[in-house]
Amino acid sequence: MTKILLGKQIGSGATANVYECGHGKVCKLYAPNTGSAEYEYLKMKEAYDLGLPVPQPYELIEID
């Protein structure tokens, strides 16, 4: 189980809010039923793995 401590909110958009979560990382929390979290994670991971200049995605988790 991954434990995440959210810090200050640093951004927001149509489907998610972005929070500081320590160690130079951020957490992006998606609104329920938007259907975009998994899609965006997979596309960002693919871009990162290809060496494109995007943030490194670390993990996709689901919370209650």
Side-chain angles (χ1 to χ4, degrees):
M1 182 170 156
T2 301
K3 185 173 184 176
I4 299 172
L5 298 175
L6 298 179
K8 176 182 161 188
Q9 183 176 342
I10 57 173
S12 64
T15 60
N17 294 322
V18 180
Y19 298 87
E20 296 175 339
C21 61
H23 307 290
K25 295 180 183 177
V26 299
C27 297
K28 193 169 187 180
L29 269 59
Y30 287 85
N33 303 318
T34 60
S36 58
E38 184 175 9
Y39 175 79
E40 185 170 334
Y41 172 80
L42 293 172
K43 292 301 179 183
M44 185 68 72
K45 183 169 178 7
E46 182 177 9
Y48 182 83
D49 290 346
L50 289 170
L52 297 174
V54 298
Q56 180 181 3
Y58 285 94
E59 187 175 11
L60 177 64
I61 60 172
E62 184 174 342
I63 57 174
D64 295 332

